[in-house]
Structures are given as C-alpha cells and as structure tokens.
C-alpha cells in the first residue's frame, strides 16, 4: 500500500485561562490534524501543533509524503528533511526549550511518523504498542495537571468559547490549587499531581505544595516553574521541599544552570526544556543536569524516536516521563500506545485532557479512569476520526482569529507592561 493523499487540517478548541511563567493561555488552543489516506481506504492519524509557522512547514512537507510506503519511516525522514533543509521555526512562548533546524525537522516528522504507525497497525491488525516492542503494561498512568488560573477569559473583541465546558473556578492561591486537585482526583482518579509553577513568588508555590501534601498524603507531587527561577532560588526551593516532591522540573534555564542546581538539591530534576533534541543528550547527561526526561513524541520525531530516547535514558540511569501540551484525543492515544511499550516509563505522564472540556476530533476518545488510560486492543492507535467534529473544530479555527500561540502578549493585553522574564525570581 502507498499513501495516496495527505490532508493537514488546522483546528481550534476552547482553552481556559491557565497561567504559566510565559503568561496565560489564550481562549483558543491550536492543533493540526494529519491524515495519511491510503490507496485502499485506510487512514492514518497524527496530531501536532497548529501555530502558523509550524502549519506552513507541515504543508510544505505533505506533498513529499504522498506515494510513500507507510512502513518506510526512514524514507519518510529523508523526504521531510530534504524538503525542509535548514528551516527553523522557534517556539514563541518558549515553554518547550530552544529551537534548531534538527529539532524543527523532528517536530514536522512527528505527526507523519505517528500516522504511518497508525497505518502499519491497521494493515497488520495490531495495536501500535505491538509495533513498538509489545506492551509492558495494560494501563498507562497520567498525572493530574494543576494550574493557577483566572476564573474566565476577560471580555474582548472576537469570539470567546462557551464557558459551559470549563467547570473549574479561579485558582490564585494554595487553597484554590487544593480545591482544583480535589476536583481532578474525584473525576479522573489521578494518583499523581503536578503543579505548573513560575506564576507566583516561589514561597507561595512552596506553600501550595505543602498544602497539597497535607490534603493528598499518598500522591506523588511535582512542581514545574518553567525556568522562572535563578540557581539560588531553585536550590532554596529544593531544600524547602525535601521529602515533598518526586521531582522538580526545569527550575532554572539551561543545562549549565540545571547542573548547578542538581548538585545541591535532594530530589531529581526533570526537563522538557533543556534536553529537547538529540544534540542535547551528551552535554545534558554528561553534566548530570537532569534525572528525568519528559519525552514528547511531538518534538522528538515521533513514537519510535521517543522509544530510542527512553533507551538512552536507561543507559544513563535517567528516569522517563512524558510531556504534554494542550492536545486532543489523537495525541492521548499516541502517548498511551507509547507508554504501554516503554519499560523505562518510571513516572506518570502529563496530560491536558481534563482542560479540553470534552471537546475532541475522535469519535470515541480514550478515557482516564483511576488515574490511567487502558490501552486499546484495536489496530493502530485505537481511535478513529469524527469527520463532523473535525469540521466543527476547523470552523473554530477559521473564525477565532488566533494563528499563533503567544501567552505573553495575551497576558499583556490585560496587564500592560507584563513581559516574560527567565529567570523572574
């Protein structure tokens, strides 16, 4: 079978006003849905970022994928690399680290590789986890992702999403975070909790961790300030949270800064910001800057390269989790298939699924229950596209007016003078 047609569809879906070190989420999150349509009627699915620069690169690469055998993923990389050359599309909001031509190529490769694996699974009658070596677990654990947040998006020109899909109230202090955690644990059964930090002064975020520990004594906790702290602040927080955190994620910018912190704090440091591409592995691991890598198939080049990353982590004695951005059900399915096949997955994976308000492009989204997603037995990724839902979310994209994520500029609209600073404290 050959790939007969490639379709890339940008979509938008409601996103609550979640705060982070760069600013605040805009009312609409952007994604791109990739369909690889086989000559025999099968369709392979991938999902990726929907920002305009990335979307342009996806569309540039798409014609090169037509005619390819979906089992030829080495050929897929050659074709995409040949088309993109030295193209580089930096991440404006900077929450997933730096950029390079290599990393840009891998980001474009990711959804096409995932869609090829989906087709391979359908053609062989096997779940993608089987193609990655076979499942080592039947359920993949996910962590409840906690955010400081506004109650609602401020009134502004342009369409706003319907508030009915957002049941979570304002959370601007420790009490609000504990209340939010209670909602997530009750609804989804999460057994691990992660707080997105870098929003309030570090002392207030430490207090939130202490109150979470009191409220959830058996839940592993993690804190991610997205490089908002200096080395000294990071060390101080690390010392004050000894015994409270399973890991501290990206407290300070860069491999050199992370290495300095790692030598002085009692818990492992995790990253999805300083070790983000193959060229980062020798310096990052050599300096012992990180103890956990948050693999993300969206920018590591797909599922097989993420599995290769996990094997490298095993060699160096580095733990593995998975990073998340605002996403839909194709990404959740891909993460679940990958997590099912990774013996190295030592920590519950991140997910934004609870924040999407039930909106999706797949007909029967995978469910989080008991803090985990059961691995589907269906061939491929185990999910199928809902064409009507895809059309609705594409219409959202056409009318919402958002074409590139910019958390900093959005926050500055309501707080004049606000700017992103790393480190801030």
């Amino acid at each position: 079978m050959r790939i007969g047609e490639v379709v890339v569809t940008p979509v938008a879906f409601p996103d609550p006003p979640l705060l982070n070190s760069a600013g605040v989420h805009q009312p609409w999150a952007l994604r791109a849905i990739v369909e690889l349509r086989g000559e025999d009627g099968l369709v392979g699915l991938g999902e990726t970022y929907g920002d305009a620069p990335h979307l342009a690169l996806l569309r540039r690469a798409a014609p090169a994928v037509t005619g390819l055998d979906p089992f030829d993923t080495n050929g897929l990389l050659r074709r995409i690399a040949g088309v993109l050359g030295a193209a580089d599309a930096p991440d404006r909001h900077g929450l997933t680290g730096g950029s390079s031509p290599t990393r840009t190529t891998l980001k474009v490769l990711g959804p096409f590789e995932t869609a090829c694996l989906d087709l391979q699974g359908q053609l062989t009658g096997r779940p993608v986890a089987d193609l990655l070596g076979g499942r080592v677990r039947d359920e993949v654990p996910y962590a409840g992702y906690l955010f400081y947040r506004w109650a609602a998006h401020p009134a502004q020109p342009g369409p706003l999403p319907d508030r009915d899909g957002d049941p979570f109230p304002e959370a601007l202090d420790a009490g609000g975070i504990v209340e939010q955690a209670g909602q997530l644990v009750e609804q989804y059964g999460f057994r691990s909790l992660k707080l997105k930090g870098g929003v309030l002064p570090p002392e207030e975020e430490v207090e939130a961790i202490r109150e979470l520990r009191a409220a959830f004594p058996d839940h592993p906790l993690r804190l991610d300030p997205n490089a908002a702290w200096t080395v000294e602040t990071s060390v101080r927080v690390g010392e004050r949270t000894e015994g409270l955190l399973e890991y501290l994620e990206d407290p300070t910018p860069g491999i050199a800064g992370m290495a300095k912190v790692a030598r002085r704090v009692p818990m492992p440091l995790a990253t999805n910001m300083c070790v983000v591409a193959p060229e980062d592995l020798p310096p990052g691991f050599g300096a012992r800057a990180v103890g956990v890598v948050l693999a993300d198939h969206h920018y590591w080049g797909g599922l097989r390269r993420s599995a290769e990353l996990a094997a490298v982590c095993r060699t160096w004695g580095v733990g593995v989790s998975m990073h998340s951005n605002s996403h839909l059900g194709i990404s959740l399915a891909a993460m679940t298939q990958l997590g099912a096949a990774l013996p190295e997955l030592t920590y519950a994976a991140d997910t934004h699924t609870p924040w999407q308000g039930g909106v999706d492009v797949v007909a029967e989204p995978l469910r989080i229950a008991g803090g985990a997603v059961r691995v589907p037995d269906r061939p491929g990724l185990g999910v199928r596209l809902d064409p009507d839902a895809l059309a609705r979310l594409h219409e959202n994209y056409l009318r919402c007016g958002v074409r590139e994520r910019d958390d900093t500029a959005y926050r500055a609209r309501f707080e004049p003078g606000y700017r992103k600073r790393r480190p801030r404290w």
Side-chain angles (χ1 to χ4, degrees):
M1 190 200 80
R2 299 280 171 175
I3 296 167
E5 184 182 11
V6 179
V7 180
V8 178
T9 306
V11 298
F13 58 94
D15 206 6
L18 308 178
L19 295 158
N20 55 51
S21 71
V24 63
H25 286 209
Q26 294 157 279
W28 299 95
L30 304 178
R31 299 295 272 178
I33 306 304
V34 170
E35 299 174 70
L36 301 187
R37 297 177 178 176
E39 294 168 340
D40 60 356
L42 297 179
V43 179
L45 300 176
E47 178 188 331
T48 184
Y49 314 101
D51 300 83
H54 186 63
L55 188 62
L57 294 177
L58 293 172
R59 287 171 167 164
R60 187 164 143 191
V65 179
T66 303
L68 187 74
D69 182 335
F71 286 89
D72 185 11
T73 53
N74 287 329
L76 177 69
L77 174 59
R78 285 195 302 272
R79 290 189 181 198
I80 289 176
V83 168
L84 298 187
D88 189 8
D91 170 14
R92 180 191 290 272
H93 56 88
L95 294 175
T96 57
S99 185
S100 68
T102 297
R103 192 176 183 216
T104 295
T105 296
L106 292 177
K107 284 172 67 176
V108 174
L109 174 67
F112 292 109
E113 188 259 12
T114 300
C116 280
L117 286 171
D118 190 19
L119 281 175
Q120 290 178 29
Q122 293 176 59
L123 287 164
T124 58
R126 307 298 292 267
V128 166
D130 289 357
L131 306 180
L132 299 174
R135 68 176 66 178
V136 297
R137 56 182 63 84
D138 293 324
E139 292 186 333
V140 175
Y142 287 89
Y145 211 155
L146 310 175
F147 285 85
Y148 295 103
R149 57 161 296 164
W150 296 339
H153 287 283
Q156 56 194 279
L160 282 174
D162 188 344
R163 171 87 170 117
D164 291 344
D166 179 11
F168 296 94
E170 178 181 87
L172 295 174
D173 56 21
I177 289 296
V178 171
E179 180 183 355
Q180 185 185 106
Q183 286 182 260
L184 287 170
V185 169
E186 180 179 2
Q187 184 172 352
Y188 298 95
F190 290 118
R191 299 170 214 164
S192 300
L193 295 168
K194 170 175 170 173
L195 174 60
K196 177 65 76 177
V199 175
L200 302 180
E203 294 77 13
E204 296 184 40
E205 296 182 353
V206 169
E207 180 58 27
I209 292 295
R210 293 188 184 281
E211 293 199 20
L212 284 168
R213 170 54 66 236
F216 303 94
D218 299 324
H219 283 61
L221 303 177
R222 54 189 80 159
L223 174 59
D224 173 20
N226 280 126
W229 304 336
T230 64
V231 167
E232 291 305 320
T233 298
S234 301
V235 171
R236 185 172 70 251
V237 171
E239 292 172 344
R240 292 181 180 179
T241 52
E242 183 172 5
L244 300 177
L245 296 178
E246 63 174 350
Y247 63 66
L248 178 59
E249 182 180 337
D250 286 308
T252 202
I255 288 173
M258 290 279 284
K260 291 176 182 177
V261 175
R263 290 194 289 267
R264 297 170 59 188
V265 298
M267 71 285 292
L269 297 188
T271 189
N272 70 277
M273 293 182 70
C274 74
V275 177
V276 294
E279 59 262 32
D280 299 325
L281 292 169
F285 287 4
R288 297 290 178 182
V290 296
V292 183
V293 169
L294 277 69
D296 188 328
H297 73 278
H298 300 95
Y299 62 74
W300 277 96
L303 303 181
R304 282 213 174 95
R305 281 171 176 75
S306 296
E308 292 170 0
L309 168 65
V312 174
C313 289
R314 181 181 69 239
T315 300
W316 282 84
V318 171
V320 175
S321 183
M322 283 191 278
H323 170 255
S324 165
N325 210 324
S326 300
H327 65 83
L328 295 167
I330 297 170
S331 285
L332 182 65
M335 292 173 67
T336 299
Q337 295 286 348
L338 176 62
L342 288 188
E344 301 87 358
L345 187 69
T346 40
Y347 299 90
D350 294 347
T351 180
H352 282 61
T353 292
W355 297 107
Q356 72 192 44
V359 176
D360 219 319
V361 293
V362 297
E364 298 177 9
L366 303 184
R367 293 179 57 252
I368 302 173
V373 174
R374 177 159 288 278
V375 184
D377 293 321
R378 296 184 294 274
L381 291 177
V383 295
R384 60 185 177 84
L385 199 62
D386 179 337
D388 293 336
L390 179 67
R392 287 194 299 271
L393 269 60
H394 180 58
E395 181 62 28
N396 286 347
Y397 175 84
L398 294 176
R399 70 184 183 88
C400 75
V402 178
R403 291 297 177 267
E404 190 169 357
R405 178 177 175 178
D406 192 339
D407 294 14
T408 305
Y410 183 61
R411 184 165 178 177
R413 289 172 61 178
F414 313 106
E415 298 178 21
Y418 179 85
R419 61 189 180 91
K420 179 177 66 180
R421 298 204 311 269
R422 293 203 179 114
R424 184 179 294 275
W425 288 281

